[in-house]
Amino acid sequence: MMASSLSLSDHQRAVLALWSEVNASLSAYYKLVTSFGNAELAWQAKVEAWRQLGIHHTHLTRHEQPEQTRASIDKIQQALIERRYGLLFADQPEYPAQLLAIYDPPPLLFYRGDKSRLNQAQIAIVGSRKPTAHAQKTTFDMAQYLAQAGYIVTSGLAMGVDKRAHLGALAQVDSEFQGRTIGVMGTGIDVNYPNHHDKLFSQIIDQGGCIISELLPHTQPHKHTFPRRNRLVAGLSLATIVTEATIQSGSLITARLTSEQGKQVFAIPSHIDNSNAEGCHHLIREGATLIYHPQQVLEDVNSQLGYNNDSRASTHLPKSDNDASNNNQSPSSQPSNSIDIDRSVGKAKGQPLASNIKSPPSTVVVPEHLTLAYEQLDWHGQDLDALIVTTKLAPPQLIGQLMELELLGVVSVHGGRYLRV
């Protein structure tokens, strides 16, 4: 942990104070910061000014007791000094840049382990808390494969699929690929949940992975904290894989959030009478990409990284942690799997470079009669219904034009979505 992270600045104390007094409410926090201009002014404001903004009465009560807030901050400061956990703020370079692109990024993150993992290329694996034996093996093998390919496997530290994903990523013989997993907590950073996952938490940290939480220390599990966790799992990752899930699984929330963030969702099919996989089948029916081997995920994700010219979070392809030294650059100046984002606006500044994928065509010649359909496409993908609305073409005419574009090699289809190549 860097020495600078042990001493909180006045601004950081104000952010912590505000976060504590609104009890980690994202809507209340951003309403206050937006209204007053910054966290310091918001915390210094009178209770009546908060009340006029419609802030919840429980937050007002805490705001009336600043001495308790200061005591809580002092406890966090002491925990930082004792290295029980670390703390990242959204304006710090170590804060995961890809989270700046989501709708409601947390203003701070508590962490344990290697925080550099947070800015490396990640793929999420989520699913049922009670997976079948086959799904457990599939999840473990897929996570192990992705970690060996250089990606970080991100999941939610829950029982079942989440645990197998973390363990698969940790099961590396070569030390170069150990610790390639991130666990996102639905509790405070110092609350082990489920209780019997203490060993898993320790293993992730000891092997060089990372565990994070946006919630305040001592926060206990609650039904509303896990959807919050899911949005961070989706936000951190380039894509999400659902290996097995029921139709009511929280994993479908992660999948939906992934899709809403413009990222690809992958789902593994199963027998049609497997009720534990109905969620995966539903996702596939709704446009998720069907996969049966992790290499298919790598091909799609690597392809998107190579072609994506206007994404909000442009990420370098995975490479070994020693590649920086091979390029005569120090690891600190050229981090593995780094993400180059203009942190002030959350948009990409750079374009990923990779020698193992083909470059996009330098010029694209599209016949005039196909330009209407082509101009509606992007590199995230559009489904047929959306294209019918935007182009106002009759379905048979639109389908014919999309087929022509596909034959020309300028459009591809993934999971029922049409995208530029």
Side-chain angles (χ1 to χ4, degrees), residues 22-233:
V22 300
N23 197 27
S25 168
L26 288 156
S27 58
Y29 177 87
Y30 281 112
K31 178 184 286 189
L32 289 165
V33 170
T34 301
S35 300
F36 292 101
N38 59 50
E40 292 170 272
L41 292 176
W43 190 40
Q44 293 167 5
K46 302 296 184 182
V47 172
E48 185 56 36
W50 282 33
R51 183 177 288 109
Q52 291 177 1
L53 292 174
I55 302 299
H56 196 273
H57 67 89
T58 58
H59 305 335
L60 299 178
T61 300
R62 281 188 288 268
H63 191 50
E64 290 177 318
Q65 302 170 336
E67 66 283 351
Q68 293 189 12
T69 302
R70 293 189 181 93
S72 296
I73 296 173
D74 289 341
K75 289 180 180 179
I76 291 174
Q77 174 78 78
Q78 186 60 34
L80 295 175
I81 293 172
E82 296 174 359
R83 301 180 184 270
R84 282 183 269 155
Y85 50 73
L87 183 56
L88 293 174
F89 292 86
D91 59 354
Q92 291 181 306
E94 298 95 339
Y95 183 93
Q98 59 273 40
L99 284 186
L100 297 176
I102 70 174
Y103 173 72
D104 52 356
L108 53 83
L109 287 173
F110 296 91
Y111 71 90
R112 295 165 63 194
D114 184 356
K115 65 179 181 293
S116 69
R117 296 297 187 197
L118 297 171
N119 275 302
Q120 296 177 352
Q122 302 166 45
I123 295 177
I125 300 181
V126 296
S128 172
R129 282 179 168 81
K130 297 180 180 179
T132 60
H134 177 72
Q136 292 186 49
K137 183 180 186 304
T138 299
T139 301
F140 184 96
D141 292 347
M142 187 160 293
Q144 187 175 34
Y145 191 101
L146 294 174
Q148 288 174 345
Y151 282 95
I152 307 299
V153 176
T154 301
S155 197
L157 293 167
M159 296 182 292
V161 164
D162 287 15
K163 181 178 181 180
R164 299 302 296 172
H166 292 303
L167 290 175
L170 293 171
Q172 308 299 324
V173 177
D174 191 336
S175 60
E176 178 185 343
F177 297 104
Q178 287 187 354
R180 291 183 175 271
T181 190
I182 291 172
V184 184
M185 305 178 70
T187 64
I189 192 68
D190 53 355
V191 178
N192 286 346
Y193 179 84
N195 295 332
H196 54 277
H197 273 189
D198 293 16
K199 183 178 179 181
L200 175 63
F201 289 10
S202 297
Q203 187 175 354
I204 291 174
I205 295 167
D206 293 344
Q207 290 191 18
C210 188
I211 294 173
I212 64 169
S213 175
E214 67 177 327
L215 303 172
L216 293 161
H218 311 309
T219 300
Q220 298 299 312
H222 191 274
K223 62 181 180 181
H224 78 270
T225 62
F226 295 104
R228 291 183 61 154
R229 173 203 62 186
N230 294 347
R231 99 185 187 291
L232 296 185
V233 171

Side-chain angles (χ1 to χ4, degrees), residues 254-269:
T254 308
R256 174 178 59 79
L257 293 169
T258 300
S259 181
E260 290 176 354
Q261 293 170 11
K263 303 170 186 176
Q264 195 164 1
V265 177
F266 300 93
I268 298 178

